[in-house]
Amino acid sequence: MTETLIRAENLSVGFQIGKGLFNKFTLKAVDNVTIHIEKGSFFGLVGESGSGKTTLGRALLKAVPITGGNAHYSDGEVEYDLEKISKEQLKDYRKRAQLIFQDPYAALSPRMTVRDIIAEPLEVMGITRTRAETDARVREIAAKCRLNLEHLRRFPHAFSGGQRQRISIARALVSDPKFVVADESVAALDVSIQADVLNLLKQLQKDLGLTFMFISHDLSVVAHTCDHVAVMYLGRLVETAPTRKLFAAPRHPYTKALFSAIPSLDPDDRGKAQKLEGEIPSPTNQPPGCKFHTRCPHAIDVCKSVEPQLEGDGSGHEVSCHRWKELMETIPA
Ligand code: SF4
């Protein structure tokens, strides 16, 4: 039986923007999102930039405040209500939930050796007590991340992008977390290096029993890596399903448009990409009804006034669109 590690129910994250009584308004970066992440899974989160996926990842790490709904973490040893988490619990949660950054060039201090970069979280979180203990743990995780132990004495500038990302991964995993948010973690790398880093993440997931939230705008990477995918648009979840189901038959017009833009090797498929017209609207000025109606080629009157809710079919595939059934019959994926 699968167990749920992260359970977010109607989670919202809003930021107060502007000053003064009349110029203040709330930017809803994440709006009423419900997701369950199974223990040991690779959960993909996709959407254009500005869709709220990074903020959702940060909220689950308790790096930004949750302003509505709730999120729970339960790994079998501890159970935390992330909205009401105490200072003491948060200190422990920081060890259990970690982030791998996007940019391996900006994430590593150029003034620290690789050993010190990886060791820092152990010292800051008080996980190890002696230098020997710290060194042993650094060597152990460096080897797991396929880093040459000779390199621990060097500085980050001596390494390629792929090697730097492996240093970032080692730093994120040194505290022995259970939940890891990988935010566009291969986006800055060449395609050949991307495959290498993705294989490493999959191996680490297996060896260490990790649960990943994998945030990406690259659907081909998500297709090969994730077990389950959620699609976000303007802070809302518009579709979620096991990866195979979603890629075989996407239901939401936004998901279909994202999928149609994946480059194909089949010459017959080229040029069939469904271009998304216009920009994603500003989160400070969201359209009424379906948030996607300003860009959806299938929008009808009801879409402009009534917001569709996520609707499941009992197989784990959920979609929020008034017309998905009708569109599946008339416009196949
Ligand atoms: Fe398009 Fe209407 Fe469906 Fe929204 S609810 S995705 S506007 S058809």
Side-chain angles (χ1 to χ4, degrees):
M1 210 178 85
T2 53
E3 289 170 70
T4 305
L5 185 81
I6 297 277
R7 193 159 39 85
E9 308 282 350
N10 306 112
L11 184 84
S12 296
V13 179
F15 300 103
Q16 292 290 326
I17 306 278
K19 284 189 183 144
L21 203 55
F22 301 110
N23 269 334
K24 226 155 116 187
F25 48 91
T26 303
L27 183 154
K28 269 191 185 172
V30 176
D31 189 7
N32 226 3
V33 167
T34 293
I35 50 167
H36 294 175
I37 303 179
E38 303 304 337
K39 215 185 255 182
S41 67
F42 229 98
F43 186 96
L45 195 58
V46 302
E48 292 165 286
S49 67
S51 59
K53 50 193 195 312
T54 290
T55 308
L56 176 57
R58 298 284 199 277
L60 296 179
L61 292 173
K62 246 336 233 183
V64 294
I66 294 168
T67 52
N70 211 340
H72 288 89
Y73 169 89
S74 168
D75 64 11
E77 282 176 12
V78 296
E79 231 182 292
Y80 294 139
D81 174 335
L82 297 188
E83 210 220 336
K84 299 186 187 131
I85 197 164
S86 68
K87 266 193 180 164
E88 215 42 51
Q89 289 173 330
L90 188 57
K91 255 167 89 180
D92 179 59
Y93 187 58
R94 295 270 177 256
K95 298 174 196 163
R96 293 170 190 267
Q98 279 286 335
L99 173 71
I100 301 171
F101 290 96
Q102 171 180 6
D103 186 350
Y105 292 88
L108 308 177
S109 167
R111 286 183 209 89
M112 291 167 81
T113 62
V114 173
R115 182 263 173 212
D116 289 348
I117 287 169
I118 300 174
E120 194 177 42
L122 295 174
E123 287 155 4
V124 170
M125 294 179 193
I127 296 171
T128 47
R129 279 167 302 225
T130 63
R131 188 168 173 101
E133 223 181 301
T134 304
D135 282 339
R137 176 65 187 147
V138 168
R139 279 198 297 273
E140 184 189 3
I141 199 67
K144 282 206 161 70
C145 293
R146 299 185 205 145
L147 287 164
N148 187 333
L149 299 187
E150 290 290 303
H151 293 170
L152 292 175
R153 275 176 286 160
R154 298 196 191 161
F155 291 86
H157 66 80
F159 298 96
S160 67
Q163 285 170 319
R164 287 183 194 213
Q165 196 54 304
R166 278 188 265 135
I167 298 167
S168 290
I169 294 168
R171 180 183 160 97
L173 301 188
V174 76
S175 64
D176 195 21
K178 310 289 176 242
F179 177 52
V180 179
V181 175
D183 189 357
E184 299 282 7
S185 298
V186 295
L189 305 175
D190 290 345
V191 176
S192 57
I193 312 291
Q194 279 188 5
D196 186 47
V197 173
L198 287 172
N199 287 338
L200 174 66
L201 292 179
K202 289 296 269 185
Q203 192 60 48
L204 290 167
Q205 178 204 21
K206 233 166 69 191
D207 295 349
L208 307 176
L210 299 170
T211 303
F212 276 97
M213 171 178 260
F214 189 76
I215 299 173
S216 180
H217 68 280
D218 187 339
L219 289 160
S220 38
V221 167
V222 168
H224 290 105
T225 317
C226 299
D227 313 306
H228 197 100
V229 183
V231 183
M232 283 188 81
Y233 184 78
L234 211 52
R236 303 278 288 183
L237 216 60
V238 296
E239 187 162 6
T240 175
T243 309
R244 260 190 298 138
K245 271 181 187 287
L246 191 75
F247 278 74
R251 293 174 180 173
H252 197 282
Y254 177 61
T255 315
K256 288 183 191 180
L258 289 181
F259 282 17
S260 78
I262 301 175
S264 172
L265 292 176
D266 182 348
D268 292 339
D269 282 347
R270 286 184 203 151
K272 283 188 188 166
Q274 184 191 324
K275 214 171 148 225
L276 267 174
E277 299 292 345
E279 294 283 311
I280 189 165
S282 163
T284 57
N285 186 21
Q286 301 206 7
C290 172
K291 305 285 176 231
F292 188 54
H293 87 253
T294 54
R295 300 168 82 194
C296 180
H298 311 294
I300 53 175
D301 280 349
V302 67
C303 306
K304 295 173 190 165
S305 54
V306 180
E307 181 155 18
Q309 300 303 312
L310 272 181
E311 188 187 320
D313 62 0
S315 74
H317 196 159
E318 294 178 272
V319 60
S320 68
C321 169
H322 294 303
R323 304 187 67 197
W324 76 266
K325 283 188 191 143
E326 175 197 343
L327 293 173
M328 288 296 284
E329 282 158 21
T330 51
I331 311 169

